Amino acid sequence: MTDTPLETTAALAPARAAVDAVVRRLADVLSSGPVCCGPLDGEIADVVIAEPGEPLDGAAGALVLAVGARETEAAAMVTAAGAVGAVAVAVRIVGDELPDAVGAAAEEAGVAVLGLPLGLRWDRAEAEIRAALAAPADTFAPGRDLFSLAQTVATLTQGVVSVEDGAHRVVAYAGSGDEADELRRRSILGRSCPEPYLALLRRLGVYQRVRAGEEVVMVAEQPELGARRRLVIGINAGRRPLGTIWVQEGDRPLAERAPELLRGAARIAATQLVDHYFQGDARARLASREELSHGLLTGRFDAAALAAHLGIDPAAEADVIAVDLREQGDATAVRADARRAEAAGVMSVHAAAHRDNALVVHACGQLYAILPTPAEEAPLVRWAEELVTTLRRLTGTPVQAVVAGRAERLADIPSVKLRGHRALQLLGRTPEVAVGTHARLAPALLVRDTLELLDQAPRLRFPAVAALADRDRTQGTELARSLLLYLDGFGDVGAVAKQLNVHPNTLRYRIRRAVALTGLDLDDPEHRLAAMLQLRLDLRERDAAAFPGALSTAGAARSLS
């Protein structure tokens, strides 16, 4: 198998964004914003990196990063950029103002100039600008563009990441610039992998191996080429090679699960590179895929038609995992959206690594993984526990997940999703529990749903027991709560007395008093069941500990731990 010639590889179609969207993106990074002059209403089609004296051919419609240009050189580059039809130029500044010569050149050339402070590295600036190109300010794209994917992989693997197309051109990258080796820096500045390293890879048969399947290949350190140890995986669509993902080892060893995570990232990247090559605008298809996946989850569209578009058998079974980040109350909407977008990217990589054709969808403030080719519950719980551990570390929130169960066919996914949503509500009562399953929580959900039905039907009551709860409220006694815990505890006086922090004789007196006031027959199972439902209905708002969501969920949690 030979390398794909440069001239036969379709060029990646650029995204577009207004200059003011780029300025807003950089403002978020700088907590202030770049110093600007010139027209800010143009539309950027690409980013071009250039040094003083370098020809700006191909910079029409682009934002030019004037790397290494000092004041006089920067002014000359602004003039040259205007002459070829560039939209904007980014230059390095010292202080808070653009040099007068640069401002004058911008005015005459009719291009916008962004002054970037010394604290913002060029690679970070380019990454943020490309992120603005991939996701304009009025579009919510939860971490699905290649730069966001690269950033997710860098975070999870603890490495420095590059995504290359089939012609070895760098199309996205992420990770600490301080940890990048000389090969990485040359690849970014030159927009392609240096030829000596490519020749080495050919001799080692690396490309032949990564194009044969999903093998993750380790390339040893090459000090003479300025290259640290790397992992690489191919991005393939069937037998067609689309590109590669590289992870360079930085100051820390790569994460133990880096190869597995790379396989997930390659599956996601394949869809995006196919869009680049064949669809013209990757964002259009990605947004459509996200919307259609949401429709599959919520039942808004026909499952068979959606499955055909997404490349999934409509008769296939699928597991559904529901995740809630448990955002804190003081989080702003923007911060919550950003955190959810980051979590969706992380979850997508984990899901794709675990199951081919996995989908991750945001709905109802929660995230859902749809995993075709079902597995047994125990491996799913372990996978969910690993995911929650990662998300808790990255988001700093008490993330929880529920293995919602299996949809026997894709049309059943909305009902399984609803089960997961309701189970997450219940699991929220025990924040110390990371992962629950619908099978474990089903009894508590049944009781909760029953109480909701009873609440809507006032005629269905156990009047004598309801009167007991009213008596407690007016007289400040604890007969109703003591009776409920006694029934829950199968009459274990010692354990229930300890829970209530009273003497066992005190509990016995309360139970005898409750029976006398209500006429309850503790030997009758229907009396006991009716009393438990009525007491839960009356006490759930006054005492959350008596509500079955707390009691049953805690029991389920203990059995999972």
Side-chain angles (χ1 to χ4, degrees):
M1 188 175 293
T2 59
D3 295 314
T4 305
L6 176 63
E7 60 271 15
T8 62
T9 304
L12 300 187
R16 306 182 75 86
V19 177
D20 61 350
V22 170
V23 172
R24 288 196 300 272
R25 181 86 184 196
L26 293 176
D28 290 339
V29 176
L30 300 172
S31 299
S32 58
V35 179
C36 305
C37 71
L40 300 179
D41 55 354
E43 193 175 61
I44 300 168
D46 200 0
V47 181
V48 172
I49 300 174
E51 296 180 350
E54 185 177 345
L56 296 181
D57 300 336
L63 185 153
V64 178
L65 300 183
V67 177
R70 300 184 182 277
E71 181 175 341
T72 304
E73 296 167 329
M77 289 190 72
V78 169
T79 300
V84 298
V87 174
V89 180
V91 301
R92 180 73 74 198
I93 61 171
V94 179
D96 298 326
E97 295 183 359
L98 285 162
D100 292 340
V102 173
E107 192 72 30
E108 184 165 343
V111 298
V113 174
L114 315 181
L116 305 184
L118 292 173
L120 180 64
R121 298 193 310 268
W122 284 111
D123 60 345
R124 176 72 188 281
E126 186 194 8
E128 296 299 337
I129 292 167
R130 289 192 180 278
L133 292 179
D138 59 350
T139 301
F140 176 67
R144 294 302 186 93
D145 63 280
L146 285 170
F147 271 87
S148 293
L149 177 62
Q151 182 59 59
T152 298
V153 175
T155 299
L156 295 175
T157 62
Q158 303 176 158
V160 184
V161 176
S162 297
V163 181
E164 296 182 4
D165 66 11
H168 316 303
R169 294 175 297 193
V170 178
V171 294
Y173 53 87
S176 172
D178 296 335
E179 299 182 24
D181 60 16
E182 180 61 26
L183 177 67
R184 156 66 180 253
R185 286 190 285 271
R186 290 173 59 194
S187 297
I188 297 301
L189 289 174
R191 306 305 295 165
S192 63
C193 183
E195 180 56 38
Y197 196 69
L198 287 176
L200 171 69
L201 297 176
R202 295 188 189 102
R203 288 199 304 273
L204 295 175
V206 171
Y207 284 112
Q208 184 175 0
R209 291 170 65 185
V210 299
R211 289 172 178 173
E214 292 188 316
E215 180 185 4
V216 177
V217 178
M218 191 276 288
V219 182
E221 183 179 13
Q222 306 292 330
E224 70 281 3
L225 296 176
R228 295 182 182 177
R229 173 176 174 266
R230 280 165 163 73
L231 297 179
V232 59
I233 188 170
I235 305 171
N236 304 311
R239 296 184 178 181
R240 181 185 177 94
L242 301 175
T244 48
I245 302 179
W246 294 83
V247 179
Q248 173 221 304
E249 192 168 65
D251 296 341
R252 298 174 292 171
L254 295 177
E256 184 178 346
R257 297 183 62 233
E260 178 186 348
L261 295 168
L262 269 179
R263 276 187 281 273
R267 292 170 181 173
I268 297 172
T271 300
Q272 298 180 19
L273 282 178
V274 165
D275 287 327
H276 274 302
Y277 285 131
F278 305 118
Q279 300 296 324
D281 184 356
R283 291 173 298 148
R285 182 172 172 184
L286 289 175
S288 172
R289 184 178 177 86
E290 179 72 18
E291 182 180 353
L292 291 174
S293 300
H294 185 277
L296 178 63
L297 184 73
T298 58
R300 290 190 296 116
F301 301 132
D302 176 70
L306 288 172
H309 184 88
L310 296 170
I312 304 173
D313 181 1
E317 297 178 312
D319 293 317
V320 178
I321 313 292
V323 174
D324 196 315
L325 299 187
R326 303 300 188 202
E327 286 286 352
Q328 306 303 310
D330 58 351
T332 64
V334 173
R335 184 177 302 173
D337 282 347
R339 194 142 43 197
R340 195 177 297 118
E342 179 186 14
V346 170
M347 193 168 167
S348 294
V349 172
H350 274 262
H354 183 66
R355 208 78 62 81
D356 200 8
N357 281 331
L359 298 173
V360 172
V361 190
H362 165 239
C364 305
Q366 295 162 341
L367 297 169
Y368 294 86
I370 303 172
L371 306 175
T373 315
E376 295 301 317
E377 185 177 276
L380 283 174
V381 171
R382 288 195 296 272
W383 178 82
E385 288 172 341
E386 292 175 357
L387 175 65
V388 168
T389 298
T390 300
L391 290 177
R392 285 186 172 187
R393 174 172 54 85
L394 294 177
T395 66
T397 62
V399 182
Q400 292 181 298
V402 166
V403 178
R406 180 171 303 173
E408 299 299 329
R409 53 197 180 96
L410 295 190
D412 297 331
I413 285 178
S415 62
V416 180
K417 175 261 180 188
L418 182 60
R419 288 196 329 221
H421 177 74
R422 295 175 70 83
L424 277 173
Q425 292 177 326
L426 203 60
L427 197 62
R429 295 179 177 274
T430 52
E432 71 278 5
V433 180
V435 177
T437 70
H438 181 267
R440 300 279 188 177
L441 296 170
L445 287 167
L446 173 62
V447 174
R448 190 184 72 167
D449 291 347
T450 302
L451 292 178
E452 289 180 358
L453 293 173
L454 289 174
D455 200 30
Q456 298 167 15
R459 64 184 183 82
L460 301 177
R461 292 291 184 269
F462 193 159
V465 175
L468 186 67
D470 289 337
R471 184 179 186 279
D472 279 349
R473 279 190 282 270
T474 58
Q475 298 188 14
T477 53
E478 288 284 331
L479 298 181
R481 182 166 182 261
S482 298
L483 177 60
L484 176 58
L485 293 178
Y486 177 81
L487 292 170
D488 282 344
F490 295 100
D492 187 337
V493 172
V496 175
K498 186 176 180 180
Q499 186 176 354
L500 288 168
N501 196 28
V502 299
H503 193 277
N505 287 338
T506 300
L507 176 61
R508 291 188 182 97
Y509 166 78
R510 289 180 181 178
I511 300 305
R512 287 196 301 270
R513 183 66 175 151
V515 168
L517 290 171
T518 60
L520 184 66
D521 182 359
L522 293 179
D523 293 327
D524 187 326
E526 291 186 346
H527 272 232
R528 294 196 301 269
L529 177 58
M532 292 173 75
L533 289 173
Q534 182 65 56
L535 288 168
R536 278 171 161 75
L537 192 64
D538 291 331
L539 297 179
R540 59 178 175 170
E541 293 182 359
R542 184 178 74 88
D543 188 354
F547 184 45
L551 295 172
S552 299
T553 305
R558 285 191 294 272
S559 65
L560 281 173
S561 60

